[in-house]
Amino acid sequence: MMARYSLRNLLFISLFSILCLYPFLSVKGADMSNQANNFYQSHEVTSQKVTFQNQYHMNVVGNLFLPKNLDKTIKHPAIIVGHPMGAVKEQSANLYAIKMAEQGFVTLSLDLSFWGESAGTPRNAVSPDIYAEDFSAAVDFLGNESFVNKDKIGVIGICGSGSFAISAAKIDPRLKAIATVSMYDMGAANRHGLNHSLTLEQRKQILQRTADQRYVEFQGGKTEYTSGTPEKINEHSNPIEKEFYDFYRTPRGEFIPKGQDPATNTHPTLTSNIKFMNFYPFNDIETISPRPLLFITGDHAHSKEFSEDAYKKAAEPKELYIVPDAGHVDLYDRVGLIPFQKLTDFFNHYLK
C-alpha cells in the first residue's frame, strides 16, 4: 500500500505566499481556449515508437516523428523534445515534436527515466543526472540514424525538462541549439520555492522529514509521494493548483501510462525528490556559448523568474522571448499562444 505525502506540508507550501500574483482560474477544468490541443495529430508527419539505452543501460522510450516523404538519402537536422516534470511524452512533448516535424525537422519526444514507458525503479523517482543523461542518450540514438545530421541536433525542454536539457548541454557539445519553454529550475524551486518564498527553516524541515522517511521505507514501510498535481480541487484550491489540475486532471491533457497508479500519477517519490536540492542547472550556463539559447516564457507565467534568471546568467547568443497573455501551463498545449514560428526560425537559423 502506498500513500502520498501532503502537498501542503512539503515543498510547495511556498506557493501559498504568492497566490495573490495570479488570476483566478475556473475550478471546472478542461479549458480548451486558445486552441488547446495536447493530443494533436498531423497527416503531414509519420511516427514510430523507438527504444534506446542510456549509459546506465536503462531503456529510454521515445516517439520518432518524420515529415512525410522525408528523403532518407540525405541527412536532416533533428530536435529532441523533453516533457514537463512529472509528465510523460504524451503530454506537451509530442505536440511540440509533431509541430516541429511539420516544419521539416526530424524530431524525438522521450520519456525520462522512471517515467512513462522508460525504464527505472522505483517509478516516479527523481534523478537529475540521469534525466540529463537521457538527453545525451537521445543524441546517441539520433546521431546514429542514417538520415540525421549528427552535427545538427537541437533540443526543446518544456518546464522541468528545460533545466535538464541545459544540464545536459553544459557537458554535451553535440546539442547545438537549446530552447526552453515555461522552464522550471527544479533545483531553485525546491531549495527556495517560487520567488524565494521558502524559508531556510522550512527547507530544513523538508530535509528532516525526508530523512525520517528513508528509515520507514528501508524497513519496508509505505512509499510516500510529494508535489505533483492534486487529484481534486475546490473553491479553496489555490490558482497554481487549478492551473495544473486543468491540464493534468481533465481530458485536456490527462494521460495515465500503462501500469501507472492514477493515485500517484505526476507525483515524484518523496525520498528521491530531495535530490533536486543539489541540482544547480544554471551554474556555468555561460559555458554553453557560442551555442545559442532561447528561453520562452509567458508574461503571466508563475515560472517566469527561472527563464529570466537563466537568460541573465547565460552568454551570447541568447534570447528571452516573452509570450503575451500566456501563463505557465498555457504554453504546454495552447496552439494559439505557443510561438511555433519563433522556434522554427530559431532552429532554421542554427541547425539548417
Side-chain angles (χ1 to χ4, degrees):
M1 183 177 181
M2 297 181 177
R4 180 176 62 83
Y5 196 66
S6 172
L7 172 72
R8 289 174 173 80
N9 293 330
L10 287 173
L11 172 65
F12 289 100
I13 57 174
S14 60
L15 300 182
F16 289 86
S17 64
I18 54 173
L19 297 182
C20 60
L21 298 178
Y22 308 107
F24 182 82
L25 300 175
S26 169
V27 300
K28 295 181 180 179
D31 177 1
M32 303 301 289
S33 63
N34 285 297
Q35 304 170 55
N37 198 354
N38 178 67
F39 299 106
Y40 176 75
Q41 298 293 314
S42 174
H43 296 298
E44 302 174 30
V45 172
T46 63
S47 67
Q48 67 179 98
K49 188 170 293 185
V50 297
T51 301
F52 50 93
Q53 287 196 330
N54 63 26
Q55 284 199 325
Y56 300 102
H57 294 188
M58 300 167 67
N59 283 342
V60 178
V61 178
N63 289 326
L64 181 66
F65 298 96
L66 306 178
K68 269 193 175 177
N69 304 316
L70 181 80
D71 184 354
K72 291 188 176 181
T73 66
I74 62 176
K75 295 183 181 294
H76 303 270
I79 301 170
I80 302 159
V81 185
H83 58 74
M85 178 60 205
V88 290
K89 61 184 179 302
E90 288 81 7
Q91 293 167 310
S92 193
N94 277 356
L95 168 62
Y96 275 76
I98 293 170
K99 284 290 188 178
M100 298 310 293
E102 288 180 336
Q103 300 303 313
F105 295 94
V106 173
T107 62
L108 174 67
S109 65
L110 72 157
D111 282 328
L112 296 175
S113 294
F114 309 102
W115 298 90
E117 296 180 279
S118 290
T121 55
R123 304 308 293 166
N124 300 18
V126 168
S127 179
D129 284 346
I130 294 179
Y131 295 165
E133 163 60 24
D134 291 338
F135 284 98
S136 288
V139 178
D140 297 338
F141 170 78
L142 287 171
N144 277 280
E145 290 293 306
S146 61
F147 50 85
V148 170
N149 185 336
K150 67 179 182 180
D151 296 320
K152 300 288 184 179
I153 298 177
V155 62
I156 299 172
I158 304 163
C159 185
S161 277
S163 58
F164 310 144
I166 287 174
S167 180
K170 288 192 301 182
I171 58 174
D172 193 337
R174 300 174 302 168
L175 288 167
K176 300 298 185 182
I178 301 93
T180 70
V181 180
S182 289
M183 178 169 57
Y184 251 80
D185 175 347
M186 295 305 301
N190 280 266
R191 285 188 299 274
H192 307 300
L194 296 176
N195 292 322
H196 288 254
S197 55
L198 190 72
T199 68
L200 178 59
E201 183 57 35
Q202 288 171 326
R203 187 201 304 184
K204 290 181 177 180
Q205 290 174 4
I206 294 169
L207 295 173
Q208 187 60 56
R209 176 68 186 88
T210 304
D212 293 342
Q213 179 62 22
R214 288 185 65 109
Y215 281 126
V216 172
E217 294 181 17
F218 183 83
Q219 295 165 3
K222 300 174 185 177
T223 299
E224 294 197 358
Y225 296 83
T226 185
S227 59
T229 305
E231 285 72 39
K232 296 180 181 179
I233 56 171
N234 55 42
E235 65 274 16
H236 302 297
S237 300
N238 71 64
I240 296 175
E241 288 176 316
K242 293 172 184 175
E243 181 181 8
F244 283 111
Y245 180 94
D246 188 75
F247 182 79
Y248 287 109
R249 304 297 187 208
T250 76
R252 174 183 162 194
E254 184 175 38
F255 187 88
I256 309 296
K258 184 178 180 180
Q260 176 71 46
D261 182 353
T264 62
N265 196 43
T266 82
H267 301 293
T269 62
L270 172 61
T271 55
S272 70
N273 194 71
I274 209 69
K275 302 295 191 294
F276 280 137
M277 293 283 189
N278 274 342
F279 182 48
Y280 294 84
F282 300 164
N283 282 5
D284 296 326
I285 191 174
E286 72 278 3
T287 63
I288 293 174
S289 177
R291 289 173 291 149
L293 285 158
L294 171 63
F295 307 102
I296 296 174
T297 185
D299 64 346
H300 299 318
H302 64 260
S303 57
K304 184 168 71 169
E305 61 176 294
F306 302 124
S307 293
E308 292 174 331
D309 185 33
Y311 174 76
K312 181 180 179 181
K313 293 176 178 176
E316 297 288 352
K318 61 180 179 179
E319 182 176 359
L320 176 64
Y321 187 84
I322 299 178
V323 181
D325 302 317
H328 176 86
V329 178
D330 289 335
L331 298 183
Y332 284 12
D333 68 333
R334 297 195 190 283
V335 178
L337 292 174
I338 297 170
F340 286 113
Q341 188 59 53
K342 183 66 179 178
L343 286 164
T344 300
D345 293 344
F346 174 75
F347 287 113
N348 275 337
H349 181 72
Y350 290 107
L351 295 184
K352 285 190 174 180

